[in-house]
Amino acid sequence: MKKTVLLLTTLLMAVASWAQGGSALEQLKADPRKGYGMDYPYTFTTQPLTKAPKGYKPFYISHYGRHGSRYYWNALLYQELANLLTKAHEKRCLTAEGEAFYEKFMAAKDELTAGVSELSDLGWEQHQRIARTMYNNFPEVFKRGGNVMAISSLTGRCVLSMSSFCQELTQCNPKIEIREQSARKTLDGVVPTDNQNPLKRKFRRDTARWEKNRDKFQFDESLRDKVIKRVFTNTDSLHNLHHIGSNLINLYTSLPNIGHEGMMGNLITDEEIAAQWEQSNLGSYSWVFGPQYEMIPILEDIIRKADAVIEGRSDHIADLRFGHDTCLGPLTVLMGINGADLDPEDPYEVKNCYQNWETCKASNIQIVFYRGKKATDDILVKCLLNGVEARLPIATDHFPYYRWSALRQFYQSRIDKNK
């Protein structure tokens, strides 16, 4: 009975959260590019933030951000497409649109192959703007300057994302002192699963419950076939058409991140990508749900550093972390942000608790801490997911604000239960 009540409560919280921006499908209709999922380039919200309760002011921010937009992560995508298109061109097996795509792709090939996995100009600009937005949203935290600690994954695109963010903060206020660190000793707080993490621990992995009802979802794989037919006049000499189709779709959704929109012409459309989003979102949910407990060290880092600030043992005004979707997505589930931990059995309900575009390029979680005028006042917190006020899995009378003592207890209990 208790489990049912908790499930219904979480569901109601999630429904209230969806209402802020409309249902998942409504959001997708308004912006079909959200169908790109984790390849979706970060967009900035125009939703206003809720004023703090009377007498409360923000004093500290704890943050986790994914690196910004980048070139495709795997060189094989570019290499395989270059070889495939070149052979098809030589055999005159490309359609007119396929030929136009081939010419544009080969013209950009050197740039693409040199840039594999690296941060793009857009990725740098995203973190600049996120930093300035944070500064403008919470001026009380930053106006007097102060100390900030920033840690990053060892990967170059994360280090550069951190540098972009931190440079912009100091541009906003030169009195802010930031220490940036990308080191093995800080990996537990940003990418605990890295094999170079000297504190790496093992945690159990779970399987999302919808997987047991996979046969109840109607999967549609026709887009791959459509795209292949638009590119090639003859497929007799092609092997592993499923893989080829996936490569073409993956290239298409990656192009806006590197300034090459239009390279593929009308071979694929945003609307077609959006039409098959729900099934891709199912895969994403299983992918982020399984390793959620491996993110416990990040949540512990958030709690430990917040405690130090609240108790006066740390003078940080912000702690910043820059990592990957492999951490931010599961962390969203572990923290139950907007009901991401709901774990529905019905595949068609998954879209209502998790949308993979929320783990987009430069996606970020900001936990903002507030103090009242009296020393006896509760510390309040609110959570922003990609700049939008988010719901957390405990009760509150003043959404989006939560008592830190209650939230800390809830998360510590979840940590202790799943270590």
Side-chain angles (χ1 to χ4, degrees):
M1 179 65 180
K2 288 183 179 180
K3 186 174 181 180
T4 302
V5 171
L6 178 61
L7 186 65
L8 288 173
T9 302
T10 308
L11 182 59
L12 288 171
M13 291 167 66
V15 168
S17 177
W18 309 329
Q20 296 176 41
S23 72
L25 296 183
E26 287 172 348
Q27 292 183 59
L28 196 63
K29 185 177 180 180
D31 183 3
R33 281 194 174 188
K34 286 188 172 181
Y36 296 3
M38 294 179 186
D39 260 351
Y40 182 58
Y42 192 87
T43 58
F44 291 84
T45 179
T46 57
Q47 291 187 31
L49 298 181
T50 306
K51 289 183 179 181
K54 187 176 180 180
Y56 276 87
K57 292 183 179 180
F59 67 94
Y60 171 69
I61 298 175
S62 190
H63 155 281
Y64 191 102
R66 183 189 180 191
H67 61 77
S69 288
R70 55 147 169 78
Y71 288 82
Y72 197 75
W73 65 275
N74 191 336
L76 283 176
L77 177 76
Y78 299 138
Q79 294 169 0
E80 290 176 357
L81 285 175
N83 293 337
L84 178 67
L85 292 171
T86 298
K87 290 179 181 177
H89 167 73
E90 292 171 349
K91 293 181 179 179
R92 299 176 184 252
C93 290
L94 292 173
T95 63
E97 278 195 290
E99 191 69 33
F101 163 47
Y102 162 74
E103 291 177 1
K104 291 177 181 177
F105 179 84
M106 296 307 291
K109 177 176 171 290
D110 289 346
E111 175 198 340
L112 301 179
T113 54
V116 169
S117 82
E118 294 181 352
L119 194 73
S120 66
D121 290 344
L122 177 60
W124 177 274
E125 292 162 4
Q126 288 163 341
H127 280 283
Q128 281 184 312
R129 189 171 171 188
I130 293 168
R132 186 166 289 273
T133 300
M134 176 190 283
Y135 182 90
N136 291 335
N137 281 340
F138 309 106
E140 298 93 340
V141 175
F142 299 106
K143 64 183 179 181
R144 295 182 181 177
N147 292 322
V148 173
M149 183 68 187
I151 59 176
S152 166
S153 134
L154 304 179
T155 306
R157 60 184 176 272
C158 295
V159 176
L160 288 176
S161 294
M162 174 175 67
S163 293
S164 170
F165 195 106
C166 294
Q167 283 184 31
E168 191 67 18
L169 270 187
T170 55
Q171 286 287 324
C172 292
N173 185 354
K175 292 182 180 179
I176 298 173
E177 295 283 345
I178 304 179
R179 181 176 181 182
E180 299 177 35
Q181 197 161 45
S182 175
R184 287 183 291 276
K185 66 181 181 180
T186 57
L187 283 174
D188 214 40
V190 67
V191 191
T193 52
D194 192 312
N195 288 330
Q196 297 182 73
N197 177 14
L199 301 175
K200 185 177 180 180
R201 292 169 275 170
K202 287 187 176 180
F203 296 90
R204 85 167 197 267
R205 281 184 168 237
D206 283 355
T207 300
R209 294 194 299 172
W210 80 266
E211 293 278 9
K212 294 180 180 179
N213 296 308
R214 177 178 283 267
D215 59 337
K216 295 182 180 179
F217 188 86
Q218 187 173 353
F219 288 90
D220 181 5
E221 304 295 340
S222 63
L223 181 56
R224 292 181 180 84
D225 297 334
K226 292 176 183 177
V227 175
I228 289 173
K229 290 178 181 177
R230 292 169 189 167
V231 176
F232 304 97
T233 59
N234 190 316
T235 60
D236 291 344
S237 61
L238 301 182
H239 302 287
N240 197 345
L241 295 179
H242 186 277
H243 180 67
I244 292 171
S246 294
N247 273 353
L248 290 167
I249 293 171
N250 288 337
L251 177 68
Y252 179 81
T253 59
S254 73
L255 292 175
N257 290 289
I258 56 175
H260 280 289
E261 299 98 323
M263 176 186 286
M264 297 184 70
N266 294 315
L267 293 172
I268 317 177
T269 68
D270 291 344
E271 289 70 24
E272 288 176 322
I273 296 292
Q276 55 90 58
W277 169 78
E278 188 168 358
Q279 65 190 46
S280 70
N281 188 62
L282 283 173
S284 295
Y285 188 64
S286 291
W287 186 73
V288 299
F289 188 89
Q292 60 178 294
Y293 301 118
E294 295 177 353
M295 301 306 120
I296 281 177
I298 298 177
L299 188 52
E300 289 177 322
D301 189 68
I302 290 171
I303 293 172
R304 181 172 58 252
K305 289 177 177 176
D307 283 347
V309 171
I310 293 168
E311 295 165 9
R313 294 181 285 107
S314 169
D315 63 356
H316 291 183
I317 58 174
D319 280 290
L320 311 174
R321 305 164 186 83
F322 296 86
H324 304 265
D325 55 344
T326 52
C327 297
L328 189 141
L331 181 62
T332 302
V333 178
L334 178 64
M335 293 179 65
I337 297 176
N338 288 338
D341 58 345
L342 188 57
D343 190 19
E345 294 183 354
D346 183 350
Y348 289 97
E349 287 298 322
V350 170
K351 64 179 177 293
N352 296 324
C353 68
Y354 175 77
Q355 302 87 40
N356 57 7
W357 63 70
E358 297 290 8
T359 313
C360 63
K361 300 296 192 295
S363 53
N364 60 92
I365 297 167
Q366 298 175 26
I367 306 171
V368 188
F369 290 71
Y370 293 76
R371 273 199 182 103
K373 289 182 178 181
K374 300 177 182 178
T376 55
D377 288 340
D378 289 327
I379 298 292
L380 300 182
V381 298
K382 74 173 173 183
C383 177
L384 305 183
L385 178 61
N386 299 330
V388 179
E389 292 167 341
R391 287 199 172 269
L392 300 174
I394 65 167
T396 179
D397 295 328
H398 302 288
F399 175 80
Y401 296 93
Y402 297 82
R403 287 187 299 114
W404 171 241
S405 58
L407 195 60
R408 187 194 185 287
Q409 182 179 20
F410 176 86
Y411 284 141
Q412 190 60 55
S413 175
R414 181 166 284 189
I415 289 170
D416 294 341
K417 181 181 178 181
N418 294 291
K419 269 189 175 181

